Amino acid sequence: MSYLVLARKWRPKTFPEVVGQQHVLRALINGLDQDRLHHAFLFSGTRGVGKTTLSRILAKSLNCEQGVSSTPCGECQSCQEVDAGRFVDLIEVDAASRTKVDDTRELLDNVQYAPSRGRYKVYLIDEVHMLSTSSFNALLKTLEEPPPHVKFLFATTDPQKLPVTILSRCLQFNLRRIELEQISVHLATILKQEDITFEADALTALARAADGSMRDALSLLDQAISFGAGNVTAEHVHQMLGTIEQQQLFHIVTALINQDGKTLLQQSQELSLQGRDFNLVLNALLALLQRLATLQLVPDLEMTDEDDSEKLSLLSSQISPESVQLLYQIALHGKRDLPFAADPKSGFDMTLLRMLSFQPKKITTSIRDTDTASPLTEVQQPITPAVQPVSESKPHIEAIEPKKEIYHVQEATPEVVTENIKAEPISNTALSVDNWTSTIANLKLAALSRQLANNCAFIKFDSTKIYLSLAPELAHLATDKAKERLALALQQHLNSTVSVVIEHNDAQHQSSQTLATQQAEHETSRQQQAVESIHNDSTVDAIKHAFNGQVIESTIKPID
Ligand SMILES: [Zn+2]
């Protein structure tokens, strides 16, 4: 198969094709178009972020036979020679191999001569910090009085090592690592044009492994294409990288939440069969726990649009922030101790078992809220305080709510009371235990208020106040913002002024249905059905016998 490696085939040939580094592009494009290009640029940044690519495009822009501009034609001989990497006036030097002063002198002696073919000579000196002091001095002389036909592009991974005299004569740019999202989008574009099928998760994993370098991403993609025989699937990529699929991580954390030791060890066994590197698995687990903790403790932070954000907020509602911290600590220790374990798998198993043993027996009920000062949170919408004065409803509240004394009864101002009396009371049956989950399922709610609503169980509705219960360990979901939004959505739904009272009462909560538990039950039964149908499938059975195979249950996914 004649095959040009992707990094070469897809090397950007024009400025707009370059991914990332917008700040550098803008300076180069403006300089070129206004014909005021600085004579020396210093690019600091790691490998594979575009230094050579930029200097090639710059060489073309300066030497295109159609004239100097930021949009070289790409057709003329000069443009084509630059693209092919054989343009005589683009001089690439690796300073790491030419550190002697004589080398630099020889190079700089030639600077004086006019370019052979084009208008400008473009020097790209890579790893420029490796030059010796005397080489720097020779270079400095040139930089002080640069010939008009010369442009210098210096690249370095370590700008601190450059003399200040050199630095002060360059326009400095820090080439950034290219963002994960930008890399995966670029990979997707390439694969579409190459007509190669792929899974989005696979590209995310490749982009993550490339760590900001587009060149590394493309060479990993090359490997993935040959590894998967022309198909880029998440499974192949994870196998190739020795990393772990996000889905498997979710299985592990879910098993920890459910105190399901059997599934936990099965997951570990699968990872071992798949040849995963347990150090990388622990890294991935740490990253997931960190995202969970961020979501729980700084919920107002903009949530990323990654595909798994919904799954993540579901997990965050099933585990307390303290437990996440504990699991993180154990994973960190597990990683540290991994080299000392008899073998990586047993080290990983022990880490999981430690997580299991340090978890409270049943995570969803174990954390009791003993703080009587704040077991009840109340959201006041403008007119609500006047609810309490309705005297006959009070015994009713006491009958339902044993912790009555902890209610924060707000002082009602006279104005508010008047206004409330005017408000049309609506039927108490507008909201009930029976229609609670279907009602909130249809409410328009954003991520965090949605999580709050889904995890609240209905207690009662007295025409102006909606009493809800939330498990104490999920108290972090009841942020002021989330409560406000839920109250507002319910007001719009009922077309009446209502307030929401959220109570953290465990006993109460256990007995009532929330949308989250309903959905979880539904998902579990769908999964069970899917697993059953695979086990009862005669074709699967035949394949198992023919190849002496086994079904990996966690990879079964229900489809609609
Ligand atoms: Zn041209």
Side-chain angles (χ1 to χ4, degrees):
M1 183 170 78
S2 104
Y3 182 71
L4 189 58
V5 291
L6 293 174
R8 271 174 59 199
K9 184 173 176 188
W10 290 92
R11 184 195 281 277
K13 294 196 168 74
T14 62
F15 287 122
E17 282 173 21
V18 176
V19 177
Q21 320 303 358
Q22 295 308 314
H23 57 305
V24 184
L25 293 181
R26 206 172 307 127
L28 290 177
I29 291 171
N30 289 343
L32 281 164
D33 288 342
Q34 295 160 15
D35 200 15
R36 285 164 48 156
L37 202 65
H38 203 273
H39 64 275
F41 291 86
L42 174 67
F43 295 151
S44 52
T46 63
R47 46 200 291 276
V49 289
K51 289 169 300 210
T52 311
T53 298
L54 285 175
S55 46
R56 283 198 180 175
I57 302 175
L58 183 64
K60 258 194 313 194
S61 302
L62 290 167
N63 289 304
C64 175
E65 287 159 26
Q66 307 286 329
V68 177
S69 78
S70 66
T71 50
C73 75
E75 306 282 328
C76 68
Q77 201 179 339
S78 295
C79 282
Q80 289 194 349
E81 283 182 12
V82 175
D83 283 340
R86 52 185 164 81
F87 187 67
V88 286
D89 292 319
L90 171 60
I91 301 117
E92 292 184 30
V93 183
D94 181 7
S97 59
R98 297 185 68 156
T99 53
K100 288 202 208 89
V101 66
D102 286 347
D103 287 341
T104 322
R105 251 192 214 128
E106 185 196 323
L107 181 81
L108 296 174
D109 280 348
N110 284 321
V111 167
Q112 304 306 325
Y113 301 113
S116 340
R117 275 196 41 79
R119 282 178 213 96
Y120 288 92
K121 277 184 173 175
V122 178
Y123 285 86
L124 169 63
I125 305 184
D126 207 357
E127 298 299 340
V128 66
H129 64 271
M130 301 286 281
L131 292 176
S132 63
T133 312
S134 41
S135 296
F136 275 129
N137 288 336
L139 181 61
L140 188 60
K141 286 211 178 73
T142 312
L143 283 180
E144 277 168 344
E145 284 173 62
H149 58 262
V150 169
K151 300 289 176 200
F152 283 102
L153 295 180
F154 302 123
T156 179
T157 45
D158 201 351
Q160 263 91 334
K161 287 196 179 143
L162 289 175
V164 181
T165 44
I166 299 276
L167 286 176
S168 64
R169 282 174 175 79
C170 298
L171 207 53
Q172 280 190 57
F173 288 106
N174 180 21
L175 291 193
R176 296 174 190 141
R177 280 165 199 275
I178 304 165
E179 282 170 27
L180 193 145
E181 173 93 20
Q182 287 179 314
I183 293 182
S184 55
V185 167
H186 188 59
L187 298 185
T189 313
I190 289 177
L191 289 177
K192 275 178 202 153
Q193 294 188 46
E194 293 279 334
D195 217 6
I196 294 171
T197 53
F198 63 91
E199 290 172 9
D201 285 354
L203 303 192
T204 309
L206 288 172
R208 189 166 287 136
D211 192 23
S213 161
M214 188 62 88
R215 185 171 56 215
D216 287 358
L218 290 174
S219 90
L220 286 172
L221 183 60
D222 270 326
Q223 288 177 40
I225 292 169
S226 38
F227 191 89
N231 234 330
V232 184
T233 64
E235 199 192 333
H236 283 141
V237 166
H238 285 290
Q239 224 169 316
M240 182 185 99
L241 298 171
T243 49
I244 176 171
E245 283 183 60
Q246 206 64 9
Q247 196 57 38
Q248 286 175 294
L249 282 180
F250 282 131
H251 281 312
I252 289 177
V253 176
T254 309
L256 283 169
I257 291 173
N258 296 337
Q259 288 280 292
D260 183 353
K262 194 175 155 214
T263 304
L264 216 49
L265 292 185
Q266 275 171 354
Q267 288 293 327
S268 168
Q269 180 63 22
E270 273 174 34
L271 290 169
S272 177
L273 289 173
Q274 293 163 349
R276 300 289 189 256
D277 177 335
F278 283 107
N279 195 47
L280 295 180
V281 172
L282 282 171
N283 274 348
L285 188 57
L286 284 166
L288 177 65
L289 292 168
Q290 183 259 332
R291 287 178 65 199
L292 272 178
T294 309
L295 186 63
Q296 290 178 328
L297 301 174
V298 198
D300 290 339
L301 205 71
E302 196 81 32
M303 281 210 10
T304 55
D305 276 338
E306 285 183 44
D307 305 338
D308 56 8
S309 54
E310 204 165 304
K311 182 97 198 192
L312 200 69
S313 35
L314 184 68
L315 275 189
S316 84
S317 69
Q318 293 170 338
I319 183 167
S320 74
E322 295 79 7
S323 299
V324 174
Q325 295 296 325
L326 186 64
L327 295 183
Y328 186 92
Q329 207 54 37
I330 296 173
L332 207 59
H333 285 175
K335 211 183 124 186
R336 188 196 58 195
D337 295 344
L338 207 58
F340 305 110
D343 59 89
K345 181 175 179 297
S346 63
F348 183 70
D349 279 355
M350 275 310 285
T351 303
L352 292 183
L353 292 174
R354 194 172 310 142
M355 288 175 169
L356 202 63
S357 63
F358 276 100
Q359 284 269 87
K361 199 59 198 157
K362 190 164 178 290
I363 198 153
T364 51
T365 57
S366 60
I367 305 149
R368 299 274 161 190
D369 195 343
T370 49
D371 178 11
T372 48
S374 63
L376 188 90
T377 324
E378 185 160 347
V379 187
Q380 292 295 340
Q381 289 299 320
I383 313 175
T384 55
V387 175
Q388 294 294 37
V390 185
S391 59
E392 54 269 45
S393 72
K394 273 201 165 172
H396 186 51
I397 295 172
E398 285 172 19
I400 284 195
E401 177 45 68
K403 286 198 216 163
K404 182 214 101 195
E405 69 281 2
I406 57 173
Y407 271 76
H408 300 302
V409 180
Q410 304 268 321
E411 295 260 345
T413 60
E415 295 84 11
V416 172
V417 174
T418 323
E419 206 174 328
N420 188 58
I421 290 162
K422 278 188 216 151
E424 285 275 323
I426 57 166
S427 159
N428 285 0
T429 55
L431 211 53
S432 65
V433 172
D434 296 332
N435 68 17
W436 168 244
T437 54
S438 61
T439 301
I440 59 154
N442 291 319
L443 289 184
K444 266 198 173 171
L445 290 167
L448 291 166
S449 45
R450 166 56 61 198
Q451 282 310 315
L452 174 65
N454 287 5
N455 286 286
C456 276
F458 180 85
I459 303 174
K460 73 188 180 81
F461 175 42
D462 68 6
S463 84
T464 47
K465 250 182 188 181
I466 298 163
Y467 294 85
L468 304 174
S469 77
L470 181 66
E473 67 270 19
L474 297 181
H476 62 276
L477 289 177
T479 61
D480 288 346
K481 217 175 193 178
K483 286 184 290 187
E484 252 170 58
R485 286 187 181 153
L486 175 59
L488 212 63
L490 285 166
Q491 287 207 60
Q492 278 165 1
H493 172 72
L494 297 167
N495 197 21
S496 170
T497 310
V498 291
S499 71
V500 169
V501 180
I502 292 174
E503 189 208 332
H504 306 296
N505 181 322
D506 211 24
Q508 176 81 56
H509 192 73
Q510 290 310 304
S511 59
S512 341
Q513 181 82 299
T514 69
L515 188 60
T517 51
Q518 233 175 41
Q519 283 170 344
E521 280 163 16
H522 178 67
E523 275 309 305
T524 310
S525 92
R526 254 163 60 86
Q527 181 66 27
Q528 277 168 356
Q529 278 171 20
V531 170
E532 262 169 43
S533 74
I534 288 289
H535 284 309
N536 295 334
D537 189 295
S538 56
T539 314
V540 172
D541 209 42
I543 294 171
K544 266 167 63 182
H545 281 104
F547 297 101
N548 193 23
Q550 66 177 86
V551 172
I552 300 176
E553 280 196 7
S554 67
T555 60
I556 300 173
K557 289 175 195 157
I559 49 167
D560 293 314

